Amino acid sequence: TLLIRKLPEKETFIIVANLIISNCLISNIYFWKNEPYIHDTEKFFNEKFEEFMPNLYAHFKKLGVTSDLYLYDWFESLFTQFFNFKLSGIIIDLYLINGEYILIQTALTILKLYEDELLNSPIIDIFKILKKSPNALDFVKFNTAFQAFGNLKQKFNEAKFNHEVLNIKLNIVNS
């Protein structure tokens, strides 16, 4: 967020664009449309969603609420439409410093924070909750929920590595 506050608009845009382009998940969504990579990321998210919140996962599945209906909106905006400026800045900083697993951990945190409300909601209200922008989300509450997932970095990197090995094998077979 220091970039946004301290640099002129043009330089900030160039730096942020370069950082996003160099990041695998965002560049695979926007620029290369790498469907297998996107699918594997969504699969990883769904596995962690089911592992950490099995009741909510089952509720979503029963109602036909799939992660592709909300997850990529969150990723594409880096959660800026969901959080206030301060918390959005923290998420963006974490993402730029630590990498793409932060996006998955943040998405899981949102679901965890609203788990009780989502479990007791019909499908139409679920989408309203997933699209709303909370006015006063308590940072301490968010941070506690975020930390409860531990560090997904190693698990995410293992999944990403397995995807890259599979792509190399497919390229060799197809050559």
Side-chain angles (χ1 to χ4, degrees):
T1 59
L2 287 174
L3 294 172
I4 296 169
R5 295 181 190 158
K6 302 292 182 187
L7 291 176
E9 188 176 311
K10 182 180 177 184
E11 286 82 2
T12 301
F13 174 79
I14 292 168
I15 290 169
V16 171
N18 286 332
L19 287 168
I20 290 173
I21 288 169
S22 68
N23 182 278
C24 290
L25 181 57
I26 299 299
S27 61
N28 275 301
I29 292 171
Y30 278 118
F31 304 109
W32 291 284
K33 306 293 185 208
N34 184 339
E35 293 294 329
Y37 187 87
I38 294 168
H39 173 75
D40 288 349
T41 301
E42 188 176 339
K43 181 180 175 193
F44 179 82
F45 170 81
N46 287 326
E47 288 169 358
K48 297 302 155 199
F49 181 16
E50 184 175 23
E51 176 184 335
F52 290 115
M53 294 169 275
N55 293 336
L56 183 58
Y57 181 84
H59 181 61
F60 275 26
K61 192 169 185 169
K62 183 178 122 186
L63 295 175
V65 178
T66 57
S67 58
D68 63 313
L69 298 174
Y70 57 89
L71 191 61
Y72 294 106
D73 286 342
W74 290 348
F75 288 176
E76 289 173 354
S77 69
L78 296 173
F79 301 95
T80 55
Q81 92 287 7
F82 202 84
F83 298 122
N84 62 37
F85 182 76
K86 182 179 179 181
L87 192 49
S88 292
I90 292 168
I91 299 301
I92 291 169
D93 288 347
L94 286 171
Y95 163 69
L96 294 174
I97 293 166
N98 296 299
E100 54 202 338
Y101 79 93
I102 291 295
L103 300 178
I104 292 170
Q105 196 161 338
T106 302
L108 291 168
T109 301
I110 291 170
L111 294 173
K112 188 66 177 171
L113 289 172
Y114 292 98
E115 183 174 19
D116 292 337
E117 190 176 349
L118 291 165
L119 277 168
N120 296 307
S121 297
I123 192 166
I124 191 75
D125 291 340
I126 286 173
F127 286 110
K128 288 178 185 175
I129 294 165
L130 295 177
K131 299 281 184 190
K132 76 178 179 179
S133 177
N135 292 332
L137 183 64
D138 180 15
F139 175 75
V140 174
K141 187 176 176 181
F142 174 84
N143 190 46
T144 301
F146 187 85
Q147 297 300 324
F149 292 107
N151 188 338
L152 294 177
K153 185 175 187 173
Q154 181 180 352
K155 292 176 185 175
F156 182 77
N157 286 339
E158 287 170 6
K160 191 166 72 169
F161 174 76
N162 290 337
H163 170 78
E164 290 169 3
V165 168
L166 179 62
N167 273 346
I168 291 169
K169 287 178 181 177
L170 288 174
N171 287 336
I172 291 170
V173 170
N174 291 331
S175 297

